[in-house]
Each structure stands twice: as C-alpha cells, then as structure tokens.
C-alpha cells in the first residue's frame, strides 16, 4: 500500500508550497486516476514517489516502509514515450533490467515474452522511428512493466495520441492491468479517460494541493466504451467537469 | 546526385569564369587558369602524391587524433564536474583567440623543423571545436530521459554510458567534420612557416619561383582531400546515426 502522510513540498526557489499536508493512500492492485488543472501538483506527486524530489516534511511509505529504504518499488511511464532512438525496441525495454544487472539470458527471455504478449515481437529489432505513436506507447508500457515494480505511475501516457488510438490503448491498458495486477496511478486531463479506466478518481481542487476529492466509479470490469453512456456515468462526468471548471 | 546538381553547376560556372579571366589577364604567375593548374598537378604528380601529400596527411591525422583524444577527455571531465567546467571553459576559449599564424613560428622556434611543431599547430586549431562540440553533446541529453533512467536506479556511470555517450555521437561527427578542414589548414600553415616537406611547404617553394600554377596545385589538392575526408565522415555518420533527428 502506498501512503502519503502529511507531506509538504515546495520547489527550490519557490516561496509557496506546491503540496501542503497531503495525506492519502492507494491500496495494492487499485487503479486510480488523478485529474486537476495544469500546474496543480499532479506530476509533483509522481516526482515525489519516484524520489526525484524529496518532501520537506511528512513521509511517503510503501507497505509502511519509507521509500528511501526500498528499491525498485515504482515504475514511471511519461507522456512522451522517451524511447532511446539509438536502441532497438528490444534493447529499449531491456533498459530497466540492465540497471538491475540481470543476465543477458534473463533479459532476452523476459523481453521476448513481453513483446510477444503485447503483439510486438516482430518489431523487436526495429527502432522507435519505425513504430507508430500507439505502438511506441505500448513499448513504453512494456518497459515500465519490466522494471518489475508493483506500482505503475502513468503520466498522461495517451495525451499525444489521436482519438482512435487513444480508445484502443485505453482498452488495452485495462486488459494489461487486469493481467499483471499492478497498482496504477494515472494522471490525465481527460475526465472520460479517468472514468473509463479507474476504480477511483482523485480530483485536485485546491492549490496548494492539500487533499483529493475522491470519486468512486460505479462500474465493474471488464469495461468497454459503451459503459460511458449510462446515465449515472454521464452525470458523474458532468459533475467532475463542473468541479474542474470551478478550479480553473 | 540530383541534390548536388546545383552546387556542381555553380562550381563549373566559376571554373569557366576563372578560365576566361585568366585568359584575359594572361599572366599565369599571378592568376593561372584551372587547366594550367590541372596540368601542373599532373606534371608534378609524383612528388605531390608520394612526398608532400603523405607528409601533410600525416601531420593532419596525427594532430586530429590527438585533438580528438584530448578534446573528448576534457569534455568528459568538464561534463562530470561543473567547477572544472567553469575553470576550464574560459581557457579553452582563450586558446582559440591565439592567432595560429602568430604562434606557429614560436613552435618552430621551440621544436625546430620537426614534425611536432606542425602537429602542435594542428592540435591548437582543432582542439577547441572538438572539446566544445563534445561538451555540448554530453549536455544535450534531455532531462526527462535522464530522470527516467534515474527512476530505474541508474547511477552516474550508467547515465554517462547509456545516455550521454550515445546522445553525443551526432555531435562527435559534427566535431570531426568541422575539425578535418581546420586540421588541413593547420598543417598547411605550419608547413608554410617552417618545414622540409608537405603541401604547405611545396606551395611556398613554388611561390619563390613565381610559379602561379605550382602555388595553386597543392592548394587544390588540399581542398579536394579535405572534401573527400569530410565526405567519408558524412557517409559514416549517415550509417551510424540514422536516428539523429529522432531525439
């Protein structure tokens, strides 16, 4: 379980807090989306979890252990795929395993297995430029999975894609989440995307970020995009949009 | 080929114009025509290609190699430590402000007509672009790519080897392409000022004999060789860094 306890944070040089006394928990296996206005501190949460930034006070723990005492607990998938253009697809997804000093054989087996599972095995020796945007995001997701971390931090991974690819990838992501049973924190600006994917939506309504407004999504898995057309979901979507507009 | 057609046409037009002007002036010791230069190269082919060209190329490549090794090493050190970078950067720039033609005789004074005086001039002229370009290459790494690697548990060494080195490869090729003509110029200047062989020395000797075509012949040869080397480096670059525009 991921736990934020009274976390305070401000960026160097800032005289205001981005995050103030923030506390929240995420249970193992949950899929939670975070939505909020630009600059409200959503990505800062990921930077704190990734240890790219350190909180001024408060604690961030995974299963009650402070994150600075554990390794390889989370994996990050950014908005841009950030695949290394000089590496083949296979070598790109091996990158996290190289950091863990896995053997060549292990890397070979795991990467090929994963590529096969996501239908990209035939592209293993291709370079990122040979793939479409959607395929590159799938490769980026595979790379995140191959870190072996239980917590996946997905930061607007589909925002740069066209709407059709986006729809396909959302459904694909849900099936992958159910298959690998990872805990997912998903940042998005898209209310519909948040509702479609998550069990809960955390809405950022304050600045500095002091708390989330939590919304349970009344939908079961597996889901398809028709689920979004039911009256209670449309009502929830409207409610969230109104909430975000107020914030803006 | 079609891409290079316009520049080829311009070159041909310049040569034709040059030929006409040289014919009108009709003073080959001042302005020899392109055909006279070509004849001169053919006439002197043995001494030019077997004695002076190899001598100049030896200085060029040795100087270039030393500059590449030193330049990359210094760029790595500067990238690893900001304080060192701040201390060395002005010195590297200062080295470039020294006029080569002014300092080259000093090297001759120190090292005589030995090869080292000439190599030192070549190093001096090429060291700066290689160091600065490689340093920029290491620093061109996208912050988000570096951070992603950090989230995987990468250490400084991993970041350097797996991210900075590959990112700097296109810069390496740019540095070489920039340094090749400069090293040829450096070698020729050094030979001009004091040498016993080499195309620069040969050109100077021809000047004392008022042989215009003889002065031009090694210059043409130097240009052609520099262009050939840059061409070869460009082909290698195209093969090695097809991803150049994907970063």
């Amino acid at each position: 379980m991921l736990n934020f306890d009274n976390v305070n944070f401000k960026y160097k040089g800032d005289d205001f807090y981005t995050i103030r006394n923030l506390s929240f928990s995420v249970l193992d296996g949950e899929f939670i989306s975070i939505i909020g206005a630009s600059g409200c501190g959503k990505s800062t949460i990921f930077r704190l979890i990734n240890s790219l930034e350190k909180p001024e006070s408060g604690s961030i723990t995974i299963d009650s252990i402070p994150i600075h005492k554990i390794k390889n607990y989370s994996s990050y998938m950014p908005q841009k795929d950030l695949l290394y253009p000089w590496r083949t697809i296979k070598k790109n997804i091996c990158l996290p395993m190289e950091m863990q000093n896995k053997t060549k054989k292990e890397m070979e087996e795991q990467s090929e297995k994963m590529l096969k599972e996501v239908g990209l095995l035939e592209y293993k020796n291709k370079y990122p430029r040979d793939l479409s945007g959607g395929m590159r995001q799938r490769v980026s997701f595979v790379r995140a999975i191959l870190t072996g971390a239980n917590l996946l931090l997905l930061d607007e991974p589909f925002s740069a894609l066209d709407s059709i690819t986006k729809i396909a990838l959302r459904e694909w992501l849900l099936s992958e989440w159910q298959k690998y049973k990872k805990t997912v924190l998903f940042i998005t600006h898209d209310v519909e995307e948040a509702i479609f994917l998550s069990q809960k939506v955390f809405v950022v309504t304050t600045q500095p970020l002091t708390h989330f407004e939590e919304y349970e999504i009344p939908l079961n898995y597996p889901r398809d995009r028709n689920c979004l057309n039911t009256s209670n979901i449309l009502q929830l979507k409207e409610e969230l949009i109104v909430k975000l507009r107020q914030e803006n | 080929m079609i891409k290079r057609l316009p520049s080829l046409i311009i070159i041909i037009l310049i040569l034709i114009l040059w030929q006409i002007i040289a014919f009108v002036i009709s003073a080959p010791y001042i302005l020899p025509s392109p055909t006279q230069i070509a004849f001169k190269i053919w006439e002197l082919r043995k001494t030019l290609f077997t004695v002076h060209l190899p001598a100049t190329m030896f200085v060029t490549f040795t100087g270039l190699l030393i500059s590449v090794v030193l330049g990359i090493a210094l760029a790595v050190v500067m990238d690893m430590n900001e304080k060192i970078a701040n201390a060395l950067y002005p010195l590297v720039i200062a080295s470039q402000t020294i006029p080569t033609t002014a300092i080259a005789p000093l090297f001759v004074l120190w090292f005589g007509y030995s090869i080292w005086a000439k190599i030192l001039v070549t190093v001096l002229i090429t060291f700066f672009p290689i160091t600065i370009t490689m340093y920029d290459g290491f620093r061109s790494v996208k912050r988000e790519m570096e951070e992603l690697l950090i989230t995987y548990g990468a250490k400084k060494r991993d970041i350097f080897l797996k991210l900075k080195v590959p990112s700097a490869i296109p810069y390496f090729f740019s540095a070489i392409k920039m340094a090749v003509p400069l090293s040829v110029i450096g070698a020729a200047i050094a030979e001009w000022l004091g040498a016993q062989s080499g195309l620069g020395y040969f050109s100077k000797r021809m000047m004392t004999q008022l042989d215009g075509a003889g002065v031009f012949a090694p210059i043409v040869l130097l240009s052609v060789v520099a262009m050939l080397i840059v061409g070869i480096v460009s082909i290698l670059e195209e093969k090695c860094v097809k991803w150049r525009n994907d970063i």
Side-chain angles (χ1 to χ4, degrees):
Chain A
M1 185 175 78
L2 168 73
N3 193 58
F4 268 55
D5 187 21
N6 269 316
V7 171
N8 285 292
F9 175 78
K10 63 178 172 187
Y11 283 100
K12 257 183 203 167
D14 282 356
D15 49 8
F16 57 88
Y17 280 88
T18 308
I19 291 173
R20 193 87 170 136
N21 296 323
L22 178 68
S23 298
F24 71 92
S25 301
V26 177
L27 298 175
D28 282 346
E30 272 189 319
F31 196 128
I32 291 175
S33 290
I34 303 173
I35 53 174
S38 296
C40 69
K42 303 185 298 287
S43 296
T44 306
I45 291 172
F46 279 12
R47 294 183 68 79
L48 287 166
I49 298 172
N50 273 328
S51 298
L52 291 171
E53 305 289 351
K54 290 201 168 25
E56 197 178 273
S57 61
S59 69
I60 304 168
T61 57
I62 303 255
D63 297 330
S64 306
I65 307 166
I67 52 168
H68 65 266
K69 289 187 178 170
I70 14 175
K71 277 184 178 173
N72 199 30
Y73 53 87
S74 72
S75 180
Y76 176 57
M77 181 181 170
Q79 185 179 352
K80 290 179 202 156
D81 56 68
L82 296 185
L83 297 174
Y84 290 3
W86 53 86
R87 284 183 167 238
T88 60
I89 297 306
K90 195 163 102 175
K91 287 204 164 174
N92 259 294
I93 64 169
C94 284
L95 201 56
M97 293 190 282
E98 286 175 24
M99 298 304 132
Q100 295 162 13
N101 294 321
K102 292 205 173 174
T103 63
K104 216 174 173 184
K105 197 183 164 199
E106 267 179 299
M107 288 195 282
E108 186 95 0
E109 280 171 6
Q110 289 196 40
S111 59
E112 295 218 354
K113 184 176 160 245
M114 279 299 296
L115 283 174
K116 195 174 175 185
E117 280 181 24
V118 298
L120 291 171
L121 187 62
E122 60 188 296
Y123 296 95
K124 66 176 183 179
N125 293 323
K126 300 265 182 201
Y127 286 86
R129 64 175 173 275
D130 303 321
L131 271 61
S132 66
M135 284 161 124
R136 289 166 68 125
Q137 283 307 84
R138 270 152 67 194
V139 173
S140 176
F141 181 78
V142 168
R143 183 177 58 182
I145 291 274
L146 282 174
T147 57
N150 190 42
L151 175 62
L152 296 186
L153 308 170
L154 313 184
D155 192 354
E156 300 183 55
F158 307 143
S159 60
L161 303 174
D162 64 88
S163 55
I164 301 297
T165 311
K166 219 182 258 189
I167 289 167
L169 279 186
R170 281 176 195 162
E171 289 173 357
W172 177 81
L173 177 63
L174 274 191
S175 68
E176 296 303 300
W177 169 64
Q178 287 175 301
K179 198 193 298 177
Y180 295 106
K181 306 201 186 317
K182 301 275 183 185
T183 309
V184 177
L185 268 181
F186 190 98
I187 290 177
T188 180
H189 282 286
D190 188 330
V191 172
E192 200 175 279
E193 186 171 69
I195 293 173
F196 178 70
L197 292 170
S198 2
Q199 292 164 309
K200 277 184 211 163
V201 174
F202 286 176
V203 185
V204 183
T205 54
T206 57
Q207 218 159 0
L209 206 171
T210 54
H211 69 283
F212 294 122
E213 284 196 23
E214 281 189 38
Y215 288 81
E216 294 265 352
I217 305 298
L219 285 173
N220 294 321
Y221 295 96
R223 296 175 183 176
D224 61 48
R225 61 196 178 89
N226 294 322
C227 306
L228 296 170
N229 299 326
T230 58
S231 62
N232 58 339
I233 293 298
L234 289 172
Q235 199 181 335
L236 175 63
K237 187 178 158 186
E238 195 52 38
E239 199 180 323
L240 287 173
I241 290 170
V242 169
K243 183 68 73 184
L244 287 169
R245 273 194 178 163
Q246 281 170 355
E247 175 53 22
N248 277 324
Chain B
M1 191 65 202
I2 291 169
K3 210 167 69 179
R4 293 196 177 121
L5 200 63
S7 55
L8 202 68
I9 291 170
I10 289 171
I11 290 170
I12 292 169
L13 286 175
I14 289 171
L15 287 176
I16 292 170
L17 191 70
W18 183 356
Q19 185 76 30
I20 294 166
I21 294 170
F23 179 76
V24 173
I25 292 174
S26 192
Y29 57 94
I30 295 171
L31 185 69
S33 68
T35 46
Q36 282 170 327
I37 296 166
F39 278 125
K40 187 56 101 178
I41 291 173
W42 180 251
E43 196 185 307
L44 300 169
R45 63 189 180 280
K46 201 174 170 197
T47 173
L48 280 177
F49 286 96
T50 60
V51 180
H52 299 291
L53 182 64
T56 305
M57 286 301 105
F58 183 74
V59 173
T60 301
F61 285 117
T62 313
L64 194 60
L65 185 70
I66 292 171
S67 282
V68 167
V69 173
L70 287 180
I72 291 177
L74 190 62
V76 170
V77 172
M78 282 164 66
D79 178 66
M80 284 197 309
N81 191 313
E82 212 180 318
K83 280 180 187 164
I84 295 179
N86 289 338
L88 291 182
Y89 203 93
L91 291 179
V92 177
I93 291 175
S95 77
Q96 201 58 18
T97 59
I98 304 167
T100 318
T101 41
I103 201 156
L106 204 62
F107 292 155
V108 176
L109 204 67
W110 292 343
F111 298 99
Y113 288 142
S114 76
I115 190 108
W116 291 108
K118 288 170 269 177
I119 288 174
L120 213 58
V121 174
T122 313
V123 170
L124 190 71
I125 211 168
T126 52
F127 177 68
F128 171 82
I130 291 176
T131 308
I132 296 303
T133 313
M134 287 309 292
Y135 179 58
D136 285 346
F138 291 134
R139 293 178 71 87
S140 71
V141 164
K142 278 187 184 168
R143 191 180 158 79
E144 48 207 339
M145 278 190 166
E146 191 174 333
E147 286 184 347
L148 185 70
L149 214 50
I150 293 169
T151 67
Y152 296 153
K155 296 184 177 66
K156 270 193 166 179
R157 185 174 165 269
D158 297 313
I159 293 168
F160 182 73
L161 292 176
K162 293 182 192 297
L163 181 59
K164 291 199 169 188
V165 169
S167 299
I169 292 174
Y171 288 81
F172 171 76
F173 280 104
S174 297
I176 295 294
K177 284 197 284 186
M178 215 187 310
V180 164
L182 287 176
S183 62
V184 171
I185 292 167
I189 290 173
E191 287 166 355
W192 183 274
L193 292 167
Q196 288 162 320
S197 62
L199 293 171
Y201 157 81
F202 185 81
S203 179
K204 190 184 177 186
R205 206 178 76 191
M206 290 294 112
M207 207 170 120
T208 58
Q209 295 169 18
L210 290 178
D211 184 346
V215 174
F216 269 94
I219 295 169
V220 170
L221 214 55
L222 281 173
S223 304
V224 171
V225 168
M227 280 192 285
L228 267 177
I229 300 169
V230 171
I232 292 167
V233 175
S234 299
I235 291 168
L236 276 175
E237 182 187 18
E238 255 172 57
K239 289 212 182 296
C240 295
V241 277
K242 283 183 184 162
W243 45 267
R244 185 175 192 138
N245 297 322
D246 299 336
I247 292 185

